[in-house]
Amino acid sequence: MRSKELRFGLTVFVASLALLLVRFLVPRPIGMADNGDGWRLLCGLGGKQLDRPSEGWVRFSYGQGVPCTSDYVSSQSWLDWLANKVGTLLGSTGILNLLVLGVITCVLVAAAITATVLGLDLTGRYRWIATALLLLVMGDSAFFGYFASTLSEGAGFLGILLIAGGLFLMHRKHLRYAGAIVTVLGGLIGINAKSQTLLLIPLFVIAVLMARPAGTPGKARWVLPLAVLAIVGVGTLGMQSHGDPANAEYREANMYNAVFDSIVDGKHDTNADLAALGLPASFAQYIGTGWWSPGAAWHDPLYPQYRDQISRRNIAHYYATHPVRVAQILQQGGVNTLTARPDNLGSFGELSGEPRLSKEYRVPVFSGLAALVAPAGLFVLIPVWLLTGWAAVRAFRRRENGREYGIVLFLLLFFSVGQLGLSALGEGVEGVKHQLLTLFPTVLAAVFAGISLLPRPAKAEPAVTDEEPMTETLEAIR
């Protein structure tokens, strides 16, 4: 790395880290409360708590708990393990301290921002503009709290930014090896963050195969991308094979929630929807219940008779034959995406003096704008996606002078669209929280689309001389 870029990178990293730590700790620490899913990650540390964590406040320290097992797969467990080891070195008696986890994640986010900015082919002042925009995205109140939580969304946000930064770096000839390392790290963290982020796999493969600096000759252009894909592929296969692949143990629960919280919502033709799903009319009493609700349908004596109807195949058939309801459900998914902040999760610790379920609004730039237009749902998201797609096509037309923006934008765009459909049609409950993985890449893509319009440094032209070639005349020797 050139000394000038190294100094610039160190400056960006230090400045970003300082701002992120202030954002995290001042005037009091913030995080994200546990919605009840945190035990799946705490089990790996030996810390399942006997009491159910409150959704109203953040529990910043988790002590030793009862032994438990969980097949849940998430790269967030790597960050939790690191926080556990660092906390032990610092004298913490708990198995997970969210303050330690938050500081570690701030370091990683600052590094991701630095890598991304170094990969952008921009002049100095525009690099600082890009840095500020990325800090506003990563520090936004809708996303930042998950970096200090027992939930796995934070790993998804971090991994996606690392993937983008790595892809940009792989297009810079003198930084392509650093870019490969960042891309591997981002791929392993981002793809394995949640079952939903497995959707990144085909997009990641295509994007990496297209990543190359200008002027890379022949077969040499394939060596680095294929090495990246091999490492990420083996790592992902290894991780998924040691747990519950694609979160299969919750498949019936997700389908149940899709039926009784999304399809049969009591606002449309309930009897017709139940009949189309092959369920009895008496199941209308379970509208709005979740799989873990005390009065869920699986307690009903009739449930075993109809259990086969709570399946992916049956729900897919319903969607195929009810396009209007599909559009309505997707529109609700769009509303949930733009709402950004789940009502049932607080941001502060119990001793903070803040009321239960209080949320912090220190950096509400993008999520605040999204919330203002949330009722419009897809009528806002689709134009944003179309504009992002236009910016991606425009970048591709530059060929070797900016095509990396197109690659990153299309990856983020297609993941956003796919994630909205996956969460809206396949999960049902906690729509706002689940759609954060739609909102984050959408916002990040919009920022990169704007950055792609900034002036790029002029390419050095080869020197041209107007002088006539020198000739030497030899006088004949007589």
Side-chain angles (χ1 to χ4, degrees):
M1 185 181 292
R2 300 167 185 170
S3 59
K4 183 178 180 181
E5 287 199 332
L6 179 60
R7 290 195 301 271
F8 175 78
L10 288 173
T11 303
V12 170
F13 174 76
V14 171
S16 298
L17 180 58
L19 290 172
L20 290 169
L21 289 176
V22 170
R23 162 89 177 89
F24 175 39
L25 299 170
V26 179
R28 59 183 65 86
I30 59 97
M32 189 60 63
D34 184 359
N35 69 340
D37 290 342
W39 70 270
R40 299 179 298 183
L41 289 170
L42 291 171
C43 273
L45 302 173
K48 180 181 179 180
Q49 308 298 294
L50 292 173
D51 61 320
R52 176 182 170 86
S54 169
E55 296 180 344
W57 287 286
V58 180
R59 179 179 294 180
F60 281 104
S61 181
Y62 289 84
Q64 291 290 339
V66 297
C68 59
T69 58
S70 173
D71 290 331
Y72 184 65
V73 176
S74 173
S75 55
Q76 181 66 42
S77 62
W78 303 339
L79 305 180
D80 293 348
W81 176 86
L82 181 58
N84 170 267
K85 299 306 179 184
V86 173
T88 300
L89 289 175
L90 295 176
S92 174
T93 57
I95 56 100
L96 181 62
N97 188 306
L98 295 188
L99 295 177
V100 175
L101 175 63
V103 171
I104 289 172
T105 312
C106 283
V107 172
L108 294 174
V109 170
I113 290 173
T114 302
T116 304
V117 173
L118 286 174
L120 300 174
D121 192 13
L122 299 172
T123 56
R125 62 179 178 181
Y126 293 117
R127 276 181 162 185
W128 283 112
I129 291 174
T131 301
L133 289 172
L134 290 174
L135 281 168
L136 287 175
V137 174
M138 303 307 290
D140 193 279
S141 297
F143 313 129
F144 189 80
Y146 290 93
F147 296 134
S149 77
T150 57
L151 306 176
S152 51
E153 277 76 8
F157 304 150
L158 173 62
I160 290 171
L161 180 61
L162 283 169
I163 290 172
L167 290 172
F168 281 121
L169 284 170
M170 286 182 71
H171 282 81
R172 303 288 300 278
K173 195 164 187 178
H174 62 291
L175 294 172
R176 63 188 184 279
Y177 293 110
I181 294 172
V182 174
T183 305
V184 166
L185 184 62
L188 290 172
I189 294 176
I191 290 172
N192 294 288
K194 296 174 68 72
S195 59
Q196 295 96 314
T197 52
L198 293 174
L199 183 64
L200 277 168
I201 291 176
L203 303 173
F204 180 80
V205 170
I206 295 171
V208 171
L209 288 176
M210 297 181 70
R212 69 183 190 278
T216 307
K219 295 180 180 179
R221 59 161 292 193
W222 299 107
V223 174
L224 198 59
L226 289 176
V228 169
L229 292 178
I231 296 171
V232 174
V234 170
T236 298
L237 181 62
M239 185 167 189
Q240 294 296 323
S241 64
H242 283 83
D244 178 19
N247 212 10
E249 67 172 310
Y250 293 99
R251 189 168 296 162
E252 184 178 358
N254 287 336
M255 294 304 97
Y256 179 98
N257 295 331
V259 170
F260 292 104
D261 194 73
S262 184
I263 297 173
V264 186
D265 60 359
K267 301 174 183 178
H268 301 86
D269 193 339
T270 298
N271 289 332
D273 287 336
L274 286 170
L277 290 165
L279 299 173
S282 62
F283 275 23
Q285 63 184 301
Y286 301 115
I287 291 174
T289 63
W291 179 257
W292 291 277
S293 299
W298 57 268
H299 295 288
D300 193 303
L302 289 177
Y303 185 81
Q305 181 180 344
Y306 295 98
R307 186 173 188 173
D308 289 343
Q309 304 305 104
I310 310 297
S311 66
R312 288 182 174 181
R313 177 177 295 183
N314 192 39
I315 291 175
H317 178 264
Y318 174 87
Y319 288 147
T321 55
H322 294 76
V324 174
R325 283 295 290 127
V326 169
Q328 293 167 341
I329 293 170
L330 290 175
Q331 167 63 7
Q332 182 59 48
V335 172
N336 291 336
T337 298
L338 295 172
T339 299
R341 308 295 298 277
D343 290 332
N344 63 319
L345 299 179
S347 302
F348 296 96
E350 192 169 359
L351 301 179
S352 66
E354 297 290 338
R356 182 176 180 274
L357 292 174
S358 292
K359 294 173 177 51
E360 60 89 12
Y361 294 93
R362 297 174 188 173
V363 186
V365 178
F366 294 108
S367 58
L369 292 173
L372 290 175
V373 295
L378 292 179
F379 293 100
V380 169
L381 282 174
I382 290 176
V384 170
W385 288 336
L386 289 174
L387 287 172
T388 302
W390 168 81
V393 171
R394 179 181 180 274
F396 262 113
R397 287 180 176 175
R398 296 178 182 175
R399 297 188 179 276
E400 301 299 337
N401 186 29
R403 67 192 299 273
E404 64 269 25
Y405 287 96
I407 293 171
V408 171
L409 287 174
F410 276 127
L411 181 145
L412 296 172
L413 175 61
F414 288 135
F415 177 67
S416 300
V417 175
Q419 167 61 23
L420 183 136
L422 180 65
S423 292
L425 299 175
E427 294 183 342
V429 296
E430 294 190 300
V432 175
K433 175 178 173 290
H434 289 154
Q435 293 294 359
L436 282 169
L437 282 169
T438 301
L439 181 63
F440 178 79
T442 297
V443 170
L444 192 60
V447 166
F448 283 136
I451 293 173
S452 72
L453 303 178
L454 295 176
R456 299 166 64 83
K459 299 295 181 182
E461 297 292 338
V464 177
T465 177
D466 294 329
E467 296 179 4
E468 293 293 332
M470 294 181 64
T471 60
E472 184 179 359
T473 303
L474 296 178
E475 189 176 351
I477 302 176
R478 297 181 179 179

